[in-house]
Amino acid sequence: MGRSPKGLMDVNIIEIIESGEIKTDIPAYVTCAEMVHNVKTFGYRFHIEEKVVVISGDTAPTPNIVELARGANLLVLDSALTTTSVYTKGGNKEFSKVFENLKKEHCTPVQCGQIAQEAGVKTLVLTHFLPEADGEEAFAETSSVFAGEVIVPKDLQKIKVD
């Protein structure tokens, strides 16, 4: 990786307007599907040789993420709605209102596990935690409904795709 000597001048921006195949110059077959969020958001499927990696982006549960992730080796999925986040503790009415709105556009750890299980995913990586989320609790909740490997990553952690 590293940084290009050209700086940001060598970035190729691809505007995504609708679900489907994305033409790129990377050595992967890339497709996307629209997710459920308050702004137009897409999840992406990268097929490289015999490996498939799917990244959801922000989303509430939707059949689109299940289909996009079908049979993936690795699914990175929005798991913002942990039960131990700052928004669910302490009885703060404003935080409770925010949390209710977030339910319309994000997943719980249990929902993540259900999506991964239905899609037949091998490894599920939980991401996009809210402040004060308990990763161990999210792991346990997800593992209660998903038979594959669950990873609650650390920032910048490298994950091998098997």
Side-chain angles (χ1 to χ4, degrees):
M1 287 211 113
R3 189 173 290 191
S4 168
K6 296 179 185 177
L8 295 178
M9 301 309 292
D10 67 344
V11 172
N12 181 22
I13 297 171
I14 302 170
E15 294 288 340
I16 308 299
I17 299 168
E18 61 187 6
S19 298
E21 183 179 351
I22 301 171
K23 301 289 186 193
T24 72
D25 57 1
I26 64 172
Y29 178 71
V30 183
T31 57
C32 71
E34 193 166 347
M35 299 293 107
V36 175
H37 200 263
N38 62 359
V39 295
K40 196 166 197 169
T41 305
F42 292 92
Y44 299 91
R45 180 182 178 98
F46 299 86
H47 193 126
I48 304 166
E49 296 175 5
E50 299 300 315
K51 309 284 182 175
V52 174
V53 175
V54 176
I55 302 171
S56 73
D58 288 1
T59 191
T62 172
N64 289 351
I65 189 59
V66 174
E67 286 310 309
L68 193 67
R70 180 101 32 226
N73 297 82
L74 185 83
L75 170 60
V76 180
L77 188 54
D78 170 0
S79 183
L81 302 180
T82 62
T83 55
T84 56
S85 75
V86 69
Y87 294 96
T88 60
K89 293 192 250 179
N92 181 312
K93 289 182 183 178
E94 285 301 312
F95 281 173
S96 294
K97 187 187 296 183
V98 169
F99 193 74
E100 286 305 310
N101 284 327
L102 290 173
K103 287 180 182 178
K104 299 173 191 170
E105 53 201 41
H106 298 281
C107 295
T108 68
V110 168
Q111 290 168 330
C112 288
Q114 291 167 335
I115 289 166
Q117 188 69 30
E118 184 178 346
V121 168
K122 185 174 180 183
T123 301
L124 173 61
V125 179
L126 303 178
T127 189
H128 196 19
F129 292 117
L130 296 174
E132 299 181 27
D134 182 331
E136 290 178 13
E137 184 174 281
F139 176 88
E141 290 175 7
T142 305
S143 297
S144 73
V145 295
F146 176 57
E149 180 183 11
V150 177
I151 298 174
V152 178
K154 304 288 184 225
D155 288 344
L156 303 177
Q157 178 179 339
K158 293 180 183 178
I159 299 171
K160 185 175 177 172
V161 179
D162 290 323

